[in-house]
Amino acid sequence: QVQLVESGGGLVQAGSSLRLSCAASGRTFSNYAMGWFRQAPGKEREFVAAISGTGGVKAYADSVKGRFTIFRDNAKNTVYLQMDSLEPEDTAVYYCAQDRTSRPRAFLAAYIYWGQGTQVTVSS
């Protein structure tokens, strides 16, 4: 059983930056892709970014390309989401998740373990 714990959310002004962290348990962290998803009130959970097990391949939603960066430190069993130039539209609960494979994928069903989420609120 893998446990994921997100941290780093908060309330910031538009144009600011945040870095989210997701710490994972387990001994084979580097074998699996990791993803970030978000869910705003009244909307379905949507893909944000994903990274392959070794960190060599990344995928981003069009809405965050050029502003967000996903990276991982396998020695620390941690994946990060660096969020720059935040906009009010980025306001959501952000979740990290572990894929069942090493490939970075953009659909929810690919992921078998999920964190509890961390709130990000961007004010104008």
Side-chain angles (χ1 to χ4, degrees), residues 43-97:
K43 300 181 66 177
E44 296 184 354
R45 191 169 300 186
E46 66 175 353
F47 169 76
V48 176
I51 185 168
S52 63
T54 60
V57 182
K58 301 176 182 181
Y60 297 95
D62 289 341
S63 59
V64 306
K65 285 182 178 178
R67 299 189 299 118
F68 290 10
T69 303
I70 187 171
F71 60 101
R72 65 195 295 164
D73 185 342
N74 287 344
K76 296 181 178 180
N77 277 19
T78 302
V79 63
Y80 304 90
L81 185 68
Q82 177 67 41
M83 305 185 294
D84 298 321
S85 301
L86 283 163
E87 304 168 353
E89 292 73 23
D90 297 316
T91 295
V93 177
Y94 283 71
Y95 300 88
C96 69

Side-chain angles (χ1 to χ4, degrees), residues 1-2 4 24-34 52-54 72-78 98-102 112-113:
Q1 182 67 46
V2 173
L4 306 175
S25 65
R27 302 174 182 175
T28 57
F29 179 70
S30 63
N31 289 348
Y32 304 102
M34 298 291 294
S52 63
T54 60
R72 65 195 295 164
D73 185 342
N74 287 344
K76 296 181 178 180
N77 277 19
T78 302
Q98 187 177 89
D99 201 309
R100 67 183 70 186
T101 74
S102 64
I112 58 175
Y113 298 109

